[in-house]
C-alpha cells in the first residue's frame, strides 16, 4: 500500500482533532465538576444520576414533612400546657369558693369574672392553628373545634379522626390529638364552678369537693394526652436522625456517580497536553515539504 503525503496529513489532523476533543472534555469536567454534561457522554452514569437525584429529592421532601410534624406536635403540647394551667387556676378558684362562709358577694363576682376569662382562653386554645390548619379539629382542619356561632365544642366523628403525615416510604406519623371530649368536659366544669360560686348555698362544701375531684381527673387526662404527644415527638426525633443518614448516603452515592475526581482529572489533562505537544512535534517532522514548496 502506497502511503502518500495526503494520507499522512489527514491522519495527523484526525489525531490532533481527537487530542483536542479529549482535552476539551477534561477541561469541561474541571469547570463543571461533573463527569458528564450531556447524556451522550455516558448514558449509564446519567441514568444512575437521575435515580440518585430522585432519592435525594424524596428524602428532602420527607425532611420538610418532618418539620410540619414537629410544628403540629410542639404546638399541641404547648396548647395542652395552657389547658393544664387553666385547670390549675380553676382548682384554686374552686377551693377558695368552697369556703362559703368567708365569701362575700364581691368575692363571688370576682371568681365568676375570672372563670369567664378562663373559659374564653380555653376556647382560644381549642382553636389553635398551625399555618392555616386547626390542629385539634381532626380531619376537619379547615374548621375550628370551638364553634363560636353555636357556642359549643364540636364532638362529631370527623373531629376525632386522625391526621397523619408521611415521613418515609410507607411510614406515617400521627400528628393530631383527639381532645374534643376533653375540651367539652372542661368547659362543663367551668360552668359548674361558676354556677356553684353564684349560689353560695350551705351544701356547696360537698359540691365543691366533688368539683375539685373532677378537676383533678381532667388534669390527669391532660397529662395523659401530653404523654402521648411526647412519645410521638420521640419517634419523630428518631425518624429525623434516620432521614439525615439516608440523605447522607444518597448524596454520597450521587457524588460518587457524577462528581469528578479532581486529582485524577488534572493528571489526565496534563498527560493529554503532553501527548498533544508530542503529536505536534512529531507531525512537524513527518510533514515533509511538498513539490509546491519548492516551486514557490
Amino acid at each position: 500500500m502506497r502511503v502518500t503525503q495526503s494520507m499522512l496529513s489527514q491522519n495527523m489532523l484526525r489525531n490532533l482533532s481527537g487530542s483536542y476533543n479529549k482535552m476539551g472534555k477534561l477541561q469541561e469536567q474541571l469547570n463543571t465538576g461533573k463527569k458528564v454534561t450531556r447524556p451522550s457522554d455516558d448514558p449509564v452514569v446519567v441514568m444512575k444520576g437521575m435515580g440518585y437525584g430522585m432519592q435525594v429529592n424524596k428524602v428532602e421532601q420527607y425532611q420538610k414533612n418532618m418539620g410540619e410534624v414537629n410544628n403540629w406536635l410542639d404546638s399541641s403540647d404547648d396548647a395542652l400546657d395552657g389547658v393544664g394551667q387553666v385547670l390549675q387556676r380553676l382548682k384554686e378558684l374552686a377551693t377558695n369558693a368552697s369556703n362559703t362562709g368567708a365569701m362575700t358577694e364581691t368575692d363571688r363576682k370576682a371568681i365568676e369574672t375570672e372563670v369567664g376569662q378562663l373559659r374564653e382562653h380555653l376556647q382560644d386554645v381549642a382553636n389553635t392553628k398551625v399555618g392555616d390548619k386547626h390542629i385539634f379539629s381532626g380531619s376537619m382542619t379547615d374548621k375550628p373545634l370551638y364553634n363560636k356561632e353555636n357556642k359549643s365544642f364540636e364532638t362529631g366523628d370527623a373531629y376525632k379522626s386522625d391526621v397523619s403525615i408521611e415521613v418515609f416510604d410507607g411510614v406515617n406519623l400521627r400528628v393530631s390529638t383527639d381532645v374534643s371530649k376533653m375540651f367539652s368536659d372542661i368547659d362543663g366544669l367551668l360552668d359548674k364552678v361558676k354556677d356553684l360560686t353564684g349560689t353560695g348555698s350551705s351544701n356547696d362544701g360537698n359540691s365543691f369537693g366533688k368539683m375539685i375531684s373532677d378537676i383533678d381527673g381532667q388534669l390527669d387526662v391532660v397529662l395523659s394526652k401530653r404523654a402521648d404527644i411526647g412519645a410521638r415527638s420521640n419517634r419523630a426525633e428518631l425518624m429525623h436522625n434516620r432521614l439525615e443518614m439516608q440523605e447522607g448516603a444518597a448524596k454520597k452515592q450521587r457524588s460518587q456517580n457524577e462528581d469528578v475526581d479532581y486529582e485524577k482529572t488534572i493528571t489526565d489533562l496534563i498527560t493529554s497536553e503532553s501527548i498533544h505537544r508530542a503529536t505536534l512535534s512529531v507531525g512537524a517532522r513527518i510533514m515533509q515539504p511538498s513539490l509546491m514548496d519548492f516551486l514557490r
Side-chain angles (χ1 to χ4, degrees):
M1 177 180 177
R2 181 171 176 269
V3 178
T4 66
Q5 186 69 27
S6 175
M7 293 172 63
L8 290 175
S9 299
Q10 290 176 359
N11 286 337
M12 181 181 174
L13 290 174
R14 185 168 54 252
N15 292 333
L16 286 175
S17 178
S19 179
Y20 277 123
N21 288 335
K22 184 175 181 180
M23 286 192 298
K25 183 176 181 180
L26 290 171
Q27 288 176 341
E28 191 173 24
Q29 288 179 350
L30 289 175
N31 291 334
T32 62
K34 301 296 182 182
K35 294 178 183 178
V36 296
T37 55
R38 56 187 67 86
S40 59
D41 291 339
D42 193 329
V44 175
V45 171
V46 173
M47 289 299 297
K48 287 184 177 179
M50 291 175 62
Y52 294 141
M54 290 176 62
Q55 181 65 22
V56 171
N57 292 337
K58 184 186 294 185
V59 172
E60 290 176 348
Q61 182 58 54
Y62 287 146
Q63 288 179 324
K64 292 178 182 179
N65 292 353
M66 282 301 307
E68 188 172 359
V69 168
N70 291 327
N71 283 340
W72 274 67
L73 295 179
D74 291 345
S75 298
S76 298
D77 187 59
D78 290 342
L80 292 187
D81 179 60
V83 174
Q85 294 176 16
V86 168
L87 288 171
Q88 290 288 359
R89 182 54 183 162
L90 184 62
K91 182 178 179 181
E92 293 175 7
L93 294 176
T95 302
N96 293 337
S98 65
N99 188 8
T100 55
M103 291 290 294
T104 65
E105 183 65 24
T106 301
D107 293 334
R108 285 196 292 270
K109 289 292 185 182
I111 291 176
E112 288 182 33
T113 300
E114 186 167 356
V115 168
Q117 292 299 313
L118 291 176
R119 189 176 189 182
E120 289 184 14
H121 180 66
L122 184 74
Q123 294 164 359
D124 291 338
V125 171
N127 292 341
T128 299
K129 298 173 68 175
V130 169
D132 59 346
K133 297 179 180 179
H134 294 272
I135 62 176
F136 292 135
S137 297
S139 60
M140 306 294 288
T141 56
D142 59 331
K143 296 182 180 179
L145 180 61
Y146 178 75
N147 190 324
K148 294 183 178 181
E149 294 181 1
N150 298 333
K151 296 183 179 180
S152 63
F153 290 90
E154 303 288 356
T155 57
D157 292 338
Y159 289 86
K160 301 176 184 178
S161 58
D162 294 338
V163 175
S164 299
I165 296 177
E166 186 177 14
V167 295
F168 206 71
D169 291 335
V171 179
N172 296 283
L173 287 183
R174 179 170 59 88
V175 294
S176 59
T177 304
D178 180 10
V179 290
S180 58
K181 183 178 183 303
M182 183 195 76
F183 274 107
S184 182
D185 291 344
I186 296 174
D187 188 62
L189 287 177
L190 287 163
D191 259 348
K192 290 179 181 179
V193 171
K194 186 176 180 180
D195 291 341
L196 286 175
T197 302
T199 60
S201 58
S202 60
N203 65 345
D204 282 349
N206 293 332
S207 299
F208 275 111
K210 184 179 182 306
M211 178 64 60
I212 292 172
S213 177
D214 291 341
I215 293 173
D216 287 334
Q218 287 301 318
L219 279 169
D220 290 339
V221 172
V222 172
L223 290 175
S224 176
K225 299 290 185 182
R226 294 188 68 185
D228 176 58
I229 293 173
R232 284 181 280 147
S233 294
N234 291 337
R235 187 184 176 192
E237 181 64 26
L238 293 175
M239 286 302 307
H240 175 72
N241 296 336
R242 182 180 178 186
L243 285 173
E244 285 189 336
M245 294 176 61
Q246 289 288 330
E247 181 186 28
K251 287 184 176 180
K252 181 179 179 180
Q253 289 177 322
R254 184 175 66 175
S255 176
Q256 290 175 342
N257 179 69
E258 297 179 355
D259 296 345
V260 299
D261 182 344
Y262 279 97
E263 291 80 1
K264 181 179 181 302
T265 305
I266 291 173
T267 301
D268 290 344
L269 179 59
I270 293 174
T271 301
S272 295
E273 288 177 346
S274 298
I275 294 173
H276 183 73
R277 291 179 184 276
T279 302
L280 289 173
S281 177
V282 172
R285 294 175 180 273
I286 293 176
M287 298 287 291
Q288 296 296 327
S290 66
L291 178 61
M292 292 301 298
D293 293 317
F294 290 104
L295 294 176
R296 287 197 189 101

